[in-house]
Amino acid sequence: ELDKNDRNKQQELDLERNSEEIKIARLNRMLRTRGFESAKYETAMWCSKVGIGYMLAYQKEGEKSPKYTALNPLNTFVVYSNDIEPEPVLGVYFTPASKTIDGLNYDYYELTVYTKKEVYHFETQPIRRKYASRLHYYEIKDVGETVNHFFGEVPIIQFYNNVDGTSDYSTVLELIDLYCLLQSNRATNIQSIVEGLLLLKNVDLGDEEQKKSAIELLKKEKILPVSSKMGDEVEVEFLTNTLDQTQVQRFVDNVVSDIEQISGIPDLASPSFAQSVSGPALRYKLIRLENKTKDKEKQFNKSIYRLLELTNNFFRTK
């Protein structure tokens, strides 16, 4: 009799576990088909580039499940409460737009404001395009019907790249600019060598007509004849901007090394990673990169969990 009761309990537990697994599988399938993965990837890219990103959960009319999209952080912001643990009060997404009025071009902004329960649509006062570059205080007017949503919280979720909200390359941006400048100067120097002028010393150009012909020759053939005293020995040389490539390369290597040291991201294509090294040695080389990825994941997962809570609120309410 005890064995029979144990078997019944085990069957009930198995059915409950299977039911939970089915629910989870359904949720994962829904997330994949509603743009969750692509929105998450794009948000991560924005976080890497500018240090912050936003995802929006929304419902299209006539559909039973929410959809997800990444928002441009340059056109989005969230207002938080002034509490010990700040909570989002509202989120705003705005996009530039234009219209023609009486044959004149006007620029304005379309705003969508999300609160914990409603979605509002606004437009700013149109400004003549030729004055739009100046600083303006825009008047805002309501242009759409207020719509209720079912997420229970502000459906714009803010993502941080790290604790400071900085991009992956902000600490080494000046070094990257310096590296680009060095490489650009090297390319310019090579181009100047290719287009070097041929200087002919102690060559008589002749009369005015012959000088004009010499100038045309300079433009076409890159040859510069220079007259001097008759009887002097003729000298021929190229005029080029000399550059010590060895010294420049050493400087470039130092800049690249500084970028890797400050950013904590090693060059995986370097010879040191191609050599046969032990596991602990390889792990030591990658420890700073691993710590950065853990920090990014920790910050990212906080917002992902909050987004899943909103999804749960939606199904529970709707």
Side-chain angles (χ1 to χ4, degrees):
E1 185 67 27
L2 290 176
D3 292 341
K4 185 176 181 182
N5 289 336
D6 290 341
R7 284 197 300 271
N8 290 337
K9 289 181 180 179
Q10 186 62 43
Q11 288 177 354
E12 291 176 1
L13 290 174
D14 291 341
L15 287 173
E16 185 177 348
R17 188 181 302 109
N18 291 336
S19 177
E20 290 298 321
E21 291 177 354
I22 291 173
K23 289 179 181 178
I24 293 173
R26 256 183 218 162
L27 177 61
N28 287 333
R29 187 164 57 250
M30 185 275 296
L31 291 175
R32 283 195 299 270
T33 58
R34 306 301 287 176
F36 183 79
E37 291 296 330
S38 59
K40 185 173 65 173
Y41 176 81
E42 187 176 344
T43 302
M45 293 291 292
W46 276 118
C47 286
S48 294
K49 289 190 286 186
V50 300
I52 198 170
Y54 295 92
M55 275 182 69
L56 170 67
Y58 66 99
Q59 181 194 17
K60 295 188 70 173
E61 186 176 356
E63 296 186 353
K64 298 181 179 180
S65 301
K67 297 191 74 172
Y68 307 89
T69 186
L71 299 179
N72 187 338
L74 305 180
N75 294 354
T76 312
F77 63 89
V78 175
V79 179
Y80 287 87
S81 63
N82 191 23
D83 299 327
I84 295 176
E85 293 185 4
E87 292 291 329
V89 178
L90 58 89
V92 179
Y93 177 67
F94 59 93
T95 54
S98 61
K99 64 174 66 173
T100 301
I101 303 176
D102 297 331
L104 300 176
N105 295 323
Y106 287 80
D107 292 330
Y108 66 100
Y109 289 94
E110 296 176 348
L111 298 89
T112 306
V113 180
Y114 300 86
T115 65
K116 293 186 177 182
K117 293 182 179 180
E118 297 90 13
V119 182
Y120 301 88
H121 298 280
F122 299 96
E123 281 185 4
T124 63
Q125 168 194 0
I127 300 293
R128 283 279 302 276
R129 180 165 298 174
K130 66 177 183 178
Y131 304 124
S133 59
R134 303 177 185 176
L135 178 64
H136 295 285
Y137 294 94
Y138 289 93
E139 295 181 7
I140 298 177
K141 62 178 181 178
D142 192 349
V143 295
E145 180 183 359
T146 301
V147 180
N148 293 327
H149 65 76
F150 303 95
F151 295 100
E153 295 290 342
V154 177
I156 296 180
I157 306 299
Q158 192 171 35
F159 289 74
Y160 287 98
N161 191 48
N162 47 47
V163 176
D164 299 322
T166 56
S167 66
D168 287 340
Y169 56 84
S170 60
T171 56
V172 293
L173 185 57
E174 292 183 358
L175 288 174
I176 293 174
D177 291 339
L178 176 59
Y179 175 83
C180 294
L181 179 62
L182 288 170
Q183 298 293 53
S184 176
N185 287 341
R186 293 176 72 177
T188 302
N189 181 253
I190 293 173
Q191 184 68 20
S192 67
I193 293 174
V194 173
E195 297 180 355
L197 298 179
L198 182 61
L199 175 63
L200 306 177
K201 292 183 179 180
N202 303 325
V203 176
D204 189 8
L205 292 178
D207 56 23
E208 290 298 325
E209 191 65 30
Q210 290 172 329
K211 288 180 180 179
K212 290 182 181 179
S213 300
I215 293 175
E216 292 298 324
L217 185 65
L218 171 63
K219 294 179 180 179
K220 183 178 179 181
E221 304 293 343
K222 306 296 182 183
I223 299 177
L224 177 61
V226 179
S227 61
S228 183
K229 294 179 180 180
M230 295 300 295
D232 290 342
E233 184 179 355
V234 176
E235 299 180 18
V236 180
E237 62 178 311
F238 276 99
L239 296 179
T240 59
N241 180 19
T242 58
L243 184 67
D244 190 339
Q245 293 288 349
T246 303
Q247 293 294 332
V248 173
Q249 184 59 49
R250 185 177 295 119
F251 187 34
V252 169
D253 293 340
N254 290 337
V255 172
V256 172
S257 178
D258 290 342
I259 292 174
E260 295 174 8
Q261 289 291 331
I262 296 174
S263 66
I265 301 176
D267 181 8
L268 300 179
S270 66
S272 61
F273 282 92
Q275 300 169 357
S276 297
V277 294
S278 62
L282 187 61
R283 184 177 179 84
Y284 177 76
K285 291 182 178 182
L286 297 173
I287 189 169
R288 291 187 64 194
L289 176 60
E290 186 177 356
N291 289 338
K292 289 179 73 72
T293 56
K294 286 181 178 179
D295 183 31
K296 287 166 68 76
E297 287 180 10
K298 181 173 64 176
Q299 298 298 325
F300 205 83
N301 286 341
K302 288 180 183 178
S303 300
I304 286 293
Y305 295 151
R306 188 175 184 89
L307 193 62
L308 292 176
E309 287 179 1
L310 297 188
T311 304
N312 188 41
N313 291 343
F314 177 89
F315 287 117
R316 190 163 45 200
T317 306
K318 190 76 164 62

